[in-house]
Amino acid sequence: VSALASPLAQLLRAAPKPHTRRAATQVARLVLLGTGTVGSAFVARYQRLRDAQRALPSLHSVANARGQVACAGDASAALQAAVSMPRRPAAGGPDLSALAAGDVVVDATASDAIAARHPHWLARGLHVVTANKRGNGGELARAQAIARLHGRAALYGDSATVGAGLPLLQAVRALVAGGDRIHAVEGLLSGSMGWLFDRYDGMRLFSGFVREARAAGYTEPDPRLDLGGEDVMRKLLILARAAGIPLEARDVAIESLLPASLAHAATDAVDAQLGALDAPLRERYQQAWRDGARLRFVGSFERDASGACRAKVGLRALPATHPLCGGSGTDNRVAIRSCRYLDQPLVIQGPGAGAEVTAAALLDDVLRIADWMPGEA
Ligand SMILES: NC(=O)c1ccc[n+]([C@@H]2O[C@H](COP(=O)([O-])OP(=O)(O)OC[C@H]3O[C@@H](n4cnc5c(N)ncnc54)[C@H](OP(=O)(O)O)[C@@H]3O)[C@@H](O)[C@H]2O)c1
């Protein structure tokens, strides 16, 4: 019987071709997906760190929804070339076939199609670093696949997905690793919504503040994702799953701020429809003001002794002395209750939106990965 006819050989032939392995001397490479607000800030910081001689993977290419540009050494030039590409009706997805195990994919898009590839890339041994919440904040099966693959052949860096790098996820994971049970998380999880309700005075138009927040890069590319609660809902999913709770989007009760005309508007009609927010929010503000309360957009989950979890997102009128009314600007402010922090929660506060802090969180993850050896999750 020849060796090739053996069951093992047949199995080997049927198995998918192993992906290209990096030569021991080859430096890891990085592909950036997304050249918008966050992607551009990422390149600026990447360039600064490289100039300061930090050991970072070399930039292989930069891609957006219009195409992909190879980098010949100058990261800013590659970014510029990608940003200037014309709109094309049906550009294919990024081509990552040249990458090998140990290379890094940075996802600075909000694309579900891209997030759906995260598990596949991890399985190929490519590290994934993401600001896109649709990976482990997407459908539960996707998040579970990512969690299973993280630390096997590659790492999943998600620091930028919640709190734009604030040590929120880190704290939850450290508590769980230390044997604590997370009982509840409650807080201002959206820097843009925090900024809006910190600024809104009930006199000037709410829609004007939304436009200002969008121009400053605080809101999601489509501000309805913030105003409708989806952004906070995804962050809650990520935090809950990090706490070991298999929460699905349908388990979160969301009170959207979007009137129907805005919720159903075509993307290019959103700006024209923002005014529909003004009257209802003015009324909510005035009621809160009469009650001596402040409006805050809060996300929370709590689980009881049986393990049942209640999660919700929405606008709340809180007494001015409430802990969640502290903080200002784009601050996130989150209270975590666990076995050891039961009566007095652990409170983490700090800037939780903006391209600079988000790009810094992405690069922190890239630097952590550069120091990692497989097997040390
Ligand atoms: N802004 C913040 O403060 C902040 C904070 C934390 C997390 N984030 C997250 O960071 C991500 C990016 O936000 P942003 O504000 O930078 O958005 P943005 O300015 O709209 O940029 C999104 C980029 O993704 C690209 N893109 C979309 N689909 C793609 C695809 N299939 N393949 C490759 N590229 C694709 C777009 O390409 P085109 O240029 O061709 O359209 C664009 O360059 C989002 O997931 C957001 O939730 C943002």
Side-chain angles (χ1 to χ4, degrees):
V1 179
S2 82
L4 277 178
S6 73
L8 174 63
Q10 283 169 11
L11 257 181
L12 286 174
R13 270 199 309 254
K17 266 206 322 206
H19 53 78
T20 331
R21 285 231 161 260
R22 167 188 318 294
T25 51
Q26 210 177 332
V27 175
R29 293 160 298 179
L30 184 153
V31 171
L32 170 67
L33 310 179
T35 59
T37 316
V38 172
S40 301
F42 177 88
V43 169
R45 188 172 173 92
Y46 172 88
Q47 197 72 61
R48 282 201 299 280
L49 293 183
R50 290 277 282 198
D51 292 348
Q53 313 297 324
R54 293 299 301 265
L56 280 164
S58 63
L59 190 65
H60 170 274
S61 56
V62 173
N64 54 28
R66 290 157 281 158
Q68 189 166 358
V69 172
C71 176
D74 182 343
S76 307
L79 176 77
Q80 270 326 308
V83 168
S84 337
M85 278 190 293
R87 292 255 154 230
R88 286 192 288 156
D95 178 7
L96 305 186
S97 58
L99 296 190
D103 288 334
V104 184
V105 183
V106 174
D107 181 357
T109 78
S111 159
D112 192 61
I114 294 287
R117 306 288 292 158
H118 290 180
H120 170 73
W121 291 332
L122 288 170
R124 275 183 59 193
L126 305 178
H127 303 290
V128 177
V129 169
T130 183
N132 183 354
K133 290 174 275 288
R134 291 172 178 270
N136 51 0
E139 62 199 57
L140 184 60
R142 185 183 295 170
Q144 287 173 330
I146 289 169
R148 268 196 307 276
L149 289 160
H150 165 73
R152 278 206 197 166
L155 291 184
Y156 193 72
D158 56 7
S159 308
T161 56
V162 181
L166 287 179
L168 286 168
L169 263 174
Q170 239 170 287
V172 168
R173 289 188 177 128
L175 288 169
V176 172
D180 260 32
R181 185 177 197 269
I182 306 292
H183 298 302
V185 169
E186 176 184 55
L188 309 183
L189 283 162
S190 162
S192 49
M193 297 299 274
W195 186 91
L196 283 171
F197 286 102
D198 183 42
R199 283 293 181 91
Y200 183 50
D201 54 12
M203 288 181 289
R204 286 174 289 171
L205 297 178
F206 190 81
S207 53
F209 289 105
V210 174
R211 290 191 181 100
E212 218 181 298
R214 190 178 50 192
Y218 297 151
T219 66
E220 288 294 308
D222 182 340
R224 290 179 296 185
L225 295 180
D226 297 284
L227 297 161
E230 183 183 325
D231 172 67
V232 171
M233 180 272 287
R234 290 199 187 284
K235 289 169 179 165
L236 271 188
L237 293 183
I238 295 171
L239 284 166
R241 290 164 181 178
I245 305 170
L247 209 62
E248 273 282 22
R250 62 172 174 272
D251 301 326
V252 185
I254 303 180
E255 186 213 336
S256 165
L257 295 186
L258 297 173
S261 61
L262 185 53
H264 300 124
T267 312
D268 56 3
V270 167
D271 192 74
Q273 286 294 332
L274 284 177
L277 290 162
D278 293 330
L281 279 168
R282 189 155 192 271
E283 206 170 299
R284 294 284 292 266
Y285 183 94
Q286 287 175 340
Q287 183 59 50
W289 189 79
R290 281 194 292 273
D291 297 342
R294 301 242 169 99
L295 293 179
R296 293 290 180 263
F297 199 73
V298 178
S300 62
F301 69 80
E302 66 182 306
R303 65 173 152 179
D304 59 25
S306 74
C309 181
R310 278 168 12 106
K312 56 185 183 189
V313 174
L315 195 61
R316 280 167 50 189
L318 300 172
T321 52
H322 191 283
L324 291 184
C325 290
S328 62
T330 60
D331 275 1
N332 280 190
R333 192 174 169 88
V334 178
I336 302 169
R337 283 181 199 278
S338 71
C339 306
R340 81 182 76 167
Y341 299 118
L342 201 51
D343 299 329
Q344 284 287 85
L346 169 66
V347 177
I348 296 173
Q349 178 186 333
E356 302 298 323
V357 278
T358 306
L362 288 172
L363 273 150
D364 289 352
D365 279 347
V366 173
L367 285 164
R368 255 193 294 279
I369 282 168
D371 286 338
W372 180 77
M373 297 294 288
E376 303 175 340

